[in-house]
Amino acid sequence: MSRVNDFAFKIATANGTGSASANGLIMQAIFRMGIPVTGKNVFPSNIQGLPTWYEIRVSKDGYTARTPNFDLMVALNAATYAKDVAEVRSGGWLLYDSSWPLDDKLKRPDVTYIGVPLAEMCNAAFKGVRERILMKNIAYAGALAALLNFDTDVMKALLTEKFGRKPALMDSNQKAIALGFDYATTHFDCPLPIHLDKLDKTKDAILIDGNTSAALGCLYAGATVAAWYPITPSTSLMDAFTGFCKKYRTDEATKKNRFAIIQAEDELSAVGMVIGAGWAGARAFTSTAGPGISLMSEFIGLAYYTEIPAVIFDVQRTGPSTGMPTRTQQGDLMMCAYASHGDTRHICLYPADPREAFEMAVNAFDLAERFQTPVFVLTDLDIGMNDWMIPKLSWDDAYRPDRGKVLSAEDLEKAKSFSRYLDVDGDGIPYRSLPGVHPKGAYFTRGSGHNKHAAYTEDDQEYTEVMERIDRKIQRATRAVPPPFTKLATGAKLGLVTVGGCHSACLEALDLLGKEGIALDYMRVRGFPFGDEVTKFLDSHEVNFIVEQNRDAQLRSLLTLETGVHMEKLESVRYFGGFPMSAHHVITGVKAKLERAA
């Protein structure tokens, strides 16, 4: 089972033991060796001490989807030994802490066991309970360095970068690395048949999570106001934005902040603040997850009906209710498309990775102001909180925000009159004014029935006129949202369609299915409402397999509702257990549908 730069391993520890630092060191070291790598963190949602896992996939071909097959397991949590042993691929390896004997019931004849007395070595080498626990994690990183052929100079450089100004910590970490490394090289044949060998495939790439890249996109887009309420998995997006603002939006001379970030008492209040800031002319946003969208629905309807720009990041997690807060899903597609009561239809953007989270953050603010409406950016926990290898982010200094139809004081001075909701240009988008710019621009903003002049009404024709114009306006967004990503195969009569974070799994599945002679055209929708390209793709195939991460086939429902394509052409392929989609999920789903049709 010899494979170089093409394997996956999993590290099982307990939450709160400090393993994140060791796992980050391992990921960064592989990346700096020029080898494509992806990390998935599987962690508990409540108390310290519960099981946590970190999955690392090494792929010389650049595949970034999760794989359920692990060649090596680092089992350091006795509470999950049975589960961890069961997940090792036949012919694989299991590294465990041999300070204590391993129950014979946990031994498999098709797995090679690698015992390293991590606790015993660290108890002898370090003082203090906490230091011993922390250094045990670094020691297993040292053992892996020997077993998997890490470049130790790279690891030392990483430690120097992190602890260079803290000599005591630097010495402790280097000592722990050496403990694990020396023990492994002395007692085992190193490296294992699965191991690393330097490549040159990461020089134009970075490792980043989607919440950080989305926050950077908000900064570049010119956002100056953010309001939020803490909720997993979106909290780190606002944390990152706060850090960026403190660095780049603080006046150097006066030291005053040129931004406002407010932690509200709940999600409804948070989006209310965002809408107020948008009404006043600021670029404003909130970040949340599904439960937050539920609470925001009333104000989302207010912004839609009063036509106020707002950007909402929904970092999706499992539901319903509290669900599993630290697991990923795509369960909010329908809710965001039609959020709030009455007739609403919202612009939604669907990034597939951190790079698109950065780019679509900018798109979202432009679309919100151009169409004067709330815009949703739907990522998920996998995109938002996990480490992804993506091409370096780039920026065009010539970019200028699209503020849409905003009347200046000069415009208002020249105008004979101003009607806030009047369709002057015939495109469904009225002109707006900002408070305090000019007396002629004043109007009453109301969420109750209003006519095109912003006056109160309960007249059926006046109400209908405004609602139909808003619908025309949103429909025009089909030509403004990002077009779908497509990849065509010669002679394909079948289509594969997906959204968001399923993209990497689908790309890998397409390659593997193609090798078996199953050709599929591919489309990933990137924006809602859907444009004509989406309908044409669906119509041009006998069957389209719709891949998504929710129980109720929400993408399939949206496509049926919005395109008019017959449901018989849309076969659902779903996985919604909380882990990121893998190519295995896609392949087995497609094959099962094909066998049933045959």
Side-chain angles (χ1 to χ4, degrees):
M1 198 171 86
S2 178
R3 290 198 313 279
V4 178
N5 297 333
D6 184 21
F7 59 91
F9 60 103
K10 189 172 184 176
I11 301 166
T13 58
N15 196 36
T17 59
S19 57
S21 295
N23 298 338
L25 174 67
I26 293 166
M27 272 283 293
Q28 285 284 348
I30 297 171
F31 177 78
R32 291 202 186 181
M33 288 176 67
I35 305 166
V37 63
T38 305
K40 307 292 185 188
N41 192 16
V42 182
F43 58 100
S45 60
N46 39 29
I47 62 172
Q48 182 171 327
L50 288 181
T52 184
W53 293 269
Y54 196 75
E55 303 174 356
I56 296 178
R57 182 179 185 183
V58 178
S59 172
K60 65 181 186 298
D61 297 317
Y63 292 128
T64 58
R66 178 181 185 261
T67 175
N69 301 310
F70 299 101
D71 304 286
L72 168 67
M73 179 70 67
V74 181
L76 299 178
N77 185 0
T80 61
Y81 271 175
K83 177 181 175 67
D84 298 333
V85 168
E87 288 193 357
V88 182
R89 187 201 296 262
S90 181
W93 295 264
L94 185 137
L95 170 64
Y96 70 100
D97 187 348
S98 60
S99 301
W100 303 275
L102 192 66
D103 193 327
D104 288 340
K105 295 178 181 177
L106 297 172
K107 294 181 179 178
R108 285 172 47 188
D110 60 337
V111 170
T112 300
Y113 288 75
I114 302 171
V116 180
L118 297 166
E120 186 179 302
M121 291 191 302
C122 289
N123 286 344
F126 301 102
K127 297 179 180 179
V129 175
R130 185 60 180 168
E131 185 182 25
R132 288 168 174 170
I133 292 173
L134 295 175
M135 290 305 108
K136 177 180 171 181
N137 293 319
I138 303 301
Y140 77 64
L144 287 176
L147 293 166
L148 299 179
N149 196 37
F150 280 76
D151 185 332
T152 53
D153 288 338
V154 170
M155 297 188 83
K156 289 177 182 177
L158 287 166
L159 290 174
T160 301
E161 289 176 19
K162 188 172 183 179
F163 301 116
R165 296 183 180 181
K166 300 175 181 178
L169 286 174
M170 180 72 179
D171 291 343
S172 295
N173 278 267
Q174 287 188 336
K175 185 177 181 180
I177 288 281
L179 283 174
F181 186 90
D182 292 343
Y183 188 92
T185 53
T186 301
H187 293 84
F188 306 104
D189 290 332
C190 296
L192 298 176
I194 54 166
H195 60 266
L196 307 167
D197 195 6
K198 276 189 173 184
L199 293 176
D200 188 24
K201 293 188 175 183
T202 64
K203 63 180 180 180
D204 294 320
I206 59 172
L207 283 177
I208 194 171
D209 64 84
N211 283 350
T212 299
S213 60
L216 191 59
C218 293
L219 183 85
Y220 279 129
T224 56
V225 177
W228 66 301
Y229 185 77
I231 183 171
T232 302
S234 70
T235 296
S236 60
L237 195 161
M238 200 61 72
D239 289 342
F241 183 70
T242 301
F244 290 138
C245 283
K246 287 180 177 179
K247 185 172 183 178
Y248 298 109
R249 293 217 194 288
T250 301
D251 187 273
E252 292 184 5
T254 65
K255 304 302 180 185
K256 290 185 177 180
N257 294 334
R258 294 183 286 112
F259 62 91
I261 301 173
I262 306 165
Q263 181 176 326
E265 62 268 32
D266 54 38
E267 288 88 349
L268 181 61
S269 299
V271 78
M273 294 173 185
V274 168
I275 293 166
W279 171 80
R283 286 199 151 186
F285 75 97
T286 187
S287 61
T288 189
I293 301 294
S294 298
L295 291 171
M296 293 177 182
S297 289
E298 184 177 358
F299 270 167
I300 291 169
L302 172 69
Y304 175 86
Y305 190 32
T306 57
E307 302 181 64
I308 297 173
V311 172
I312 302 166
F313 289 88
D314 179 9
V315 188
Q316 298 169 94
R317 69 189 208 188
T318 62
S321 188
T322 304
M324 296 188 292
T326 59
R327 297 292 185 270
T328 196
Q329 207 174 76
Q330 295 174 324
D332 302 344
L333 302 181
M334 293 287 288
M335 178 169 66
C336 290
Y338 306 116
S340 200
H341 58 277
D343 291 317
T344 56
R345 198 149 154 265
H346 301 294
I347 298 172
C348 298
L349 305 180
Y350 309 116
D353 56 34
R355 183 182 187 180
E356 285 196 341
F358 168 78
E359 295 168 347
M360 289 187 184
V362 181
N363 293 347
F365 286 99
D366 283 348
L367 291 169
E369 293 203 291
R370 187 187 311 168
F371 292 93
Q372 301 172 25
T373 194
V375 172
F376 292 87
V377 182
L378 286 83
T379 67
D380 56 42
L381 182 144
D382 180 32
I383 296 172
M385 294 191 71
N386 281 328
D387 298 313
W388 291 65
M389 192 186 89
I390 62 168
K392 290 179 181 178
L393 300 175
S394 59
W395 185 251
D396 182 3
D397 286 334
Y399 166 78
R400 294 295 180 270
D402 182 353
R403 304 306 304 270
K405 297 181 178 181
V406 182
L407 295 173
S408 65
E410 184 180 3
D411 295 329
L412 289 163
E413 180 64 34
K414 293 177 181 178
K416 293 182 179 179
S417 62
F418 170 65
S419 293
R420 171 65 179 95
Y421 300 116
L422 183 65
D423 187 3
V424 177
D425 301 325
D427 59 2
I429 305 172
Y431 285 84
R432 66 183 174 122
S433 63
L434 301 180
V437 170
H438 194 282
K440 283 187 181 180
Y443 67 96
F444 193 80
T445 306
R446 58 174 84 244
S448 54
H450 54 264
N451 61 21
K452 60 189 176 185
H453 306 295
Y456 178 78
T457 188
E458 293 187 14
D459 180 86
D460 62 332
Q461 292 184 353
E462 290 185 326
Y463 167 80
T464 300
E465 180 184 15
V466 170
M467 287 296 290
E468 288 184 340
R469 177 189 56 75
I470 293 175
D471 185 54
R472 291 197 310 273
K473 175 185 75 171
I474 299 300
Q475 187 56 37
R476 289 183 66 87
T478 60
R479 297 189 291 275
V481 299
F485 171 91
T486 57
K487 183 180 181 182
L488 305 181
T490 303
K493 296 181 179 180
L494 304 173
L496 190 72
V497 180
T498 195
V499 65
C502 299
H503 180 58
S504 55
C506 287
L507 289 179
E508 185 177 355
L510 287 171
D511 288 347
L512 296 174
L513 287 168
K515 291 177 181 178
E516 296 183 37
I518 302 173
L520 296 163
D521 287 337
Y522 177 59
M523 177 178 69
R524 172 171 59 88
V525 296
R526 302 200 302 153
F528 178 85
F530 304 127
D532 292 340
E533 311 99 319
V534 174
T535 304
K536 289 177 182 177
F537 183 95
L538 299 174
D539 271 334
S540 66
H541 296 92
E542 296 174 0
V543 174
N544 299 277
F545 300 102
I546 313 301
V547 179
E548 54 187 309
Q549 293 190 89
N550 55 70
R551 185 195 69 180
D552 294 340
Q554 294 184 30
L555 177 59
R556 180 173 181 250
S557 296
L558 275 177
L559 291 168
T560 303
L561 286 169
E562 297 285 338
T563 67
V565 173
H566 291 296
M567 187 172 283
E568 292 75 16
K569 276 185 168 246
L570 310 179
E571 287 282 356
S572 182
V573 175
R574 295 162 293 129
Y575 168 74
F576 55 92
F579 291 108
M581 181 76 77
S582 71
H584 170 77
H585 293 129
V586 180
I587 292 168
T588 53
V590 168
K591 285 185 174 180
K593 300 289 183 182
L594 289 174
E595 289 172 5
R596 196 173 304 159

